[in-house]
Amino acid sequence: MTDDYRALIARAEQRIDHGTRERSAGADDKARAIAGEAARRGRGGPKAIADELGVSEKTISQAVSRARTADAPHRALPYDTLDRLLAVELRDVPPLPAVHWQALAWIVNGTVIDTTWIEQANVLLAWEVEDLEEGHIPDADKLAAACKSFTRTQVLAVIDAILRDDLAALPVKE
């Protein structure tokens, strides 16, 4: 249980760090826009911009100064990109019988899944299914074939849903 709360804290800290970087990048972008417009307008430009924006000339001067020292714009994906990608991939996963999803959940929860799964997640999951004892689940050969047919990202989306204990997100074949 301790590891769960630490992982949640670490993820929250990553989001906070991302937000801090985004705020700083936004301030740099704003400063560059102001500095660019001030330079374009020439003499009297900073005063006119200050009047238009309803700020002091000192604020404009600080923005121009910040623009001079700002790093080149840094682009990063939004913090929830991975979650959104996995959700989209999960939508395209072919439906399986509920008993197969339950079997995969049992397998995933009892398997160490590390970075080696990134390259061939579908094959590794199929091997785990094939390693089950005969008769453990119905149509294990069909489940293994289904796992092999999934794309790498689809398998990772399935694993993510299982690890989040969200079996309801998995498409069930009636």
Side-chain angles (χ1 to χ4, degrees), residues 95-174:
L96 295 177
V99 68
H100 283 177
W101 291 127
Q102 292 163 355
L104 288 178
W106 184 79
I107 289 168
V108 167
N109 287 319
T111 302
V112 174
I113 298 177
D114 57 17
T115 56
T116 60
W117 280 67
I118 293 172
E119 291 296 321
Q120 295 184 324
N122 59 343
V123 173
L124 294 173
L125 190 57
W127 286 350
E128 292 292 333
V129 171
E130 291 167 351
D131 284 348
L132 291 175
E133 290 182 24
E134 189 81 24
H136 187 72
I137 59 166
D139 299 323
D141 56 332
K142 289 182 182 176
L143 177 56
C147 291
K148 286 180 185 175
S149 74
F150 295 160
T151 67
R152 173 185 321 155
T153 313
Q154 286 174 332
V155 172
L156 294 175
V158 166
I159 290 170
D160 178 65
I162 290 169
L163 292 176
R164 287 184 293 104
D165 199 26
D166 188 11
L167 294 183
L170 301 170
V172 177
K173 184 181 199 179
E174 298 300 326

Side-chain angles (χ1 to χ4, degrees), residues 23-35:
R23 269 189 303 284
S24 180
D28 288 347
D29 289 348
K30 182 178 177 180
R32 280 191 284 274
I34 290 170

